[in-house]
Amino acid sequence: MENSNGQKDPRDLLRRSSNFGEIGIAATEGAIELAQKVDYYLQTWSGKDSTFIVDSQCPRFSSGDAKGLINETVRGRDLYIFVDVGNYGCEYNLFGHKNRMSPDDHYQDLKRLIQAAGGKPHRINVIMPILYGGRQHKRSFRESLDAACMLQELQSMGVRNIITFDAHAPMVENAIPLMGFDNIIPYYQVLKALKRTFPDMDYSKDKFMMVSPDEGAMARNLYYSSVLGVDLGIFYKRRDYSKIVNGHNPIVAHEYLGSSVKGKTIFITDDIISSGESMLDIAYELKKSDAGDIYCYATYGLFTNGLEVFDKAYEAGVISGVLGSNLTYRPTELRNREWFHEVDVSKYVAYLITATNSDVSISDIIDPKNKINKLLSHEDDDE
């Protein structure tokens, strides 16, 4: 049976027998919040009163050493392990001092839970929204290839599938050509959040426009411009390749290519807002060209240099809002900002789990064109 959007009904999928066993969810410390939200949808759809979450933990000794524990059987289950390597809010004691967990710590905990499972699950799947080492994906000189090495290591440990979101460099999947690797971009969830947060926004071609912040983000911005039927502009980064600052060549200027932005509402999307300097530089440049309201979205809002620069840009009317997903850690001070609006992707993740567990194609879930059309025509009823 299919729902109104043409997708398989998750309730029917959860009630049918699976080739891969009953769903089990395990989560490292930094990913518990997302796992609990996904579990809520799975329980609702299945009609079960009990949780799908497996009792697991990674306790640490005062020396910093740790171990993975799974406190119930996972034999024969289809195990989905959640990990958020970007959660810098987790702390542990190290020789009497509070130490924040780094991406390396989270990744090690993931491997500990895989080891604790002891090869007993029917299949092990990893849901790693932000890829460990994903920003170090290519070799220019004598450099490590962290993401590729990580994927091959997980494959050697028996992981069958990896689900990630908006990978910084999707071609990293070439490191594991014989293992399942799904890179998902939540196009529909972003537009749904944008439309519901700003219900009066006009998406017509003469009022609305997409702008890509650089060449790397071109594909995702092109998708939005195509389904919305609006123009697309692009900035390209002019860099100084004679020097390296903080590990990369510094940006000299952002150059714009595209049609006029005068008076138009601008939507800029990217995978990551790191320091936010590039995103804000672009917003200020667009304002110099008399752009209207400017909205930004990044799947991962990291804000590594703090939130104050965005506060100033919002107060000055340079940006009208920033959207970010709940796929990685968002500190309380970010969630409380007036300019920040969260995109909830947990229901989408639950759809992906039910589909893969039932061995059903996820093509319709990955390509949400029909759902976007219903959303824009005010026919969408997906809550």
Side-chain angles (χ1 to χ4, degrees):
M1 181 177 176
E2 296 182 345
N3 60 25
S4 60
N5 290 310
Q7 294 177 328
K8 298 290 186 182
D9 192 319
R11 291 167 295 186
D12 291 337
L13 294 179
L14 285 169
R15 289 166 186 160
R16 62 188 276 185
S17 60
S18 169
N19 294 327
F20 302 110
E22 181 185 353
I23 294 171
I25 293 176
T28 61
E29 182 180 353
I32 291 174
E33 178 191 358
L34 179 61
Q36 289 175 338
K37 287 189 172 184
V38 171
D39 181 56
Y40 165 78
Y41 285 109
L42 295 179
Q43 287 190 63
T44 301
W45 295 337
S46 68
K48 287 180 57 176
D49 293 329
S50 57
T51 180
F52 286 88
I53 295 178
V54 173
D55 183 10
S56 63
Q57 60 186 125
C58 291
R60 289 182 177 270
F61 302 97
S62 57
S63 62
D65 294 325
K67 62 180 178 181
L69 294 174
I70 295 180
N71 300 313
E72 60 183 272
T73 181
V74 292
R75 186 180 296 276
R77 300 185 74 173
D78 195 12
L79 188 61
Y80 293 81
I81 306 179
F82 285 67
V83 58
D84 177 12
V85 300
N87 191 334
Y88 60 91
C90 299
E91 297 179 335
Y92 63 92
N93 289 317
L94 181 65
F95 289 93
H97 299 279
K98 287 289 185 181
N99 196 45
R100 289 204 173 192
M101 292 183 69
S102 70
D104 294 341
D105 294 317
H106 290 295
Y107 177 51
Q108 287 300 121
D109 279 356
L110 167 65
K111 293 194 292 182
R112 291 180 177 112
L113 290 183
I114 294 172
Q115 294 176 64
K120 301 303 188 297
H122 189 97
R123 183 175 61 173
I124 295 177
N125 313 268
V126 170
I127 296 181
M128 184 187 289
I130 183 169
L131 277 182
Y132 172 78
R135 302 184 72 182
Q136 179 52 31
H137 62 279
K138 61 183 178 180
R139 175 176 286 160
S140 300
F141 194 49
R142 287 186 291 274
E143 299 177 334
S144 60
L145 291 171
D146 295 19
C149 188
M150 175 271 297
L151 292 173
Q152 292 185 350
E153 186 174 23
L154 293 183
Q155 183 178 36
S156 70
M157 295 182 73
V159 173
R160 292 282 299 278
N161 300 297
I162 291 181
I163 295 175
T164 190
F165 285 80
D166 213 342
H168 187 67
M171 73 284 292
V172 73
E173 69 175 309
N174 293 335
I176 48 167
L178 301 180
M179 188 173 83
F181 182 95
D182 290 307
N183 176 43
I184 314 296
I185 301 180
Y187 294 114
Y188 168 72
Q189 285 69 26
V190 173
L191 287 178
K192 182 172 69 173
L194 187 68
K195 194 170 186 296
R196 294 184 177 180
T197 306
F198 307 100
D200 297 328
M201 189 175 294
D202 188 343
Y203 296 91
S204 60
K205 187 174 182 179
D206 59 337
K207 297 291 186 180
F208 190 88
M209 184 174 175
M210 297 297 306
V211 172
S212 177
D214 54 34
E215 305 93 316
M218 189 66 175
R220 66 176 60 83
N221 285 278
L222 180 59
Y223 183 91
Y224 285 115
S225 69
S226 298
V227 297
L228 294 173
V230 298
D231 289 337
L232 171 65
I234 182 174
F235 278 87
Y236 72 90
K237 297 174 181 176
R238 191 150 51 86
R239 295 181 179 272
D240 182 356
Y241 289 97
S242 66
K243 63 179 74 171
I244 296 178
V245 178
N246 294 328
H248 59 79
N249 304 107
I251 298 170
V252 176
H254 291 91
E255 306 287 353
Y256 176 72
L257 295 173
S259 58
S260 172
V261 300
K262 186 175 181 179
K264 291 186 176 181
T265 297
I266 306 297
F267 191 35
I268 309 170
T269 71
D270 209 347
D271 60 332
I272 292 175
I273 292 178
S274 183
S275 67
E277 291 178 358
S278 293
M279 190 73 81
L280 289 179
D281 285 346
I282 290 168
Y284 280 104
E285 287 296 320
L286 290 170
K287 279 297 184 181
K288 290 178 183 178
S289 300
D290 297 323
D293 291 335
I294 298 174
Y295 299 90
C296 309
Y297 165 77
T299 306
Y300 306 106
L302 306 183
F303 303 98
T304 56
N305 287 0
L307 306 174
E308 290 73 19
V309 290
F310 279 85
D311 291 337
K312 292 178 181 178
Y314 179 69
E315 291 167 3
V318 177
I319 58 171
S320 298
V322 178
L323 286 77
S325 79
N326 63 337
L327 291 168
T328 191
Y329 175 64
R330 294 94 52 227
T332 302
E333 55 266 29
L334 172 61
R335 296 188 191 193
N336 291 339
R337 285 305 201 269
E338 186 179 4
W339 47 261
F340 181 75
H341 308 279
E342 189 164 286
V343 178
D344 189 354
V345 190
S346 56
K347 187 175 183 180
Y348 196 20
V349 177
Y351 270 123
L352 291 166
I353 289 177
T354 56
T356 55
N357 173 253
S358 302
D359 213 15
V360 171
S361 173
I362 63 171
S363 296
D364 291 337
I365 303 177
I366 293 176
D367 183 8
K369 184 168 59 176
N370 291 335
K371 296 187 71 177
I372 290 174
N373 289 336
K374 286 179 176 288
L375 178 70
L376 297 175
S377 63
H378 307 286
E379 296 177 6
D380 180 73
D381 60 355
D382 181 16
E383 296 297 328

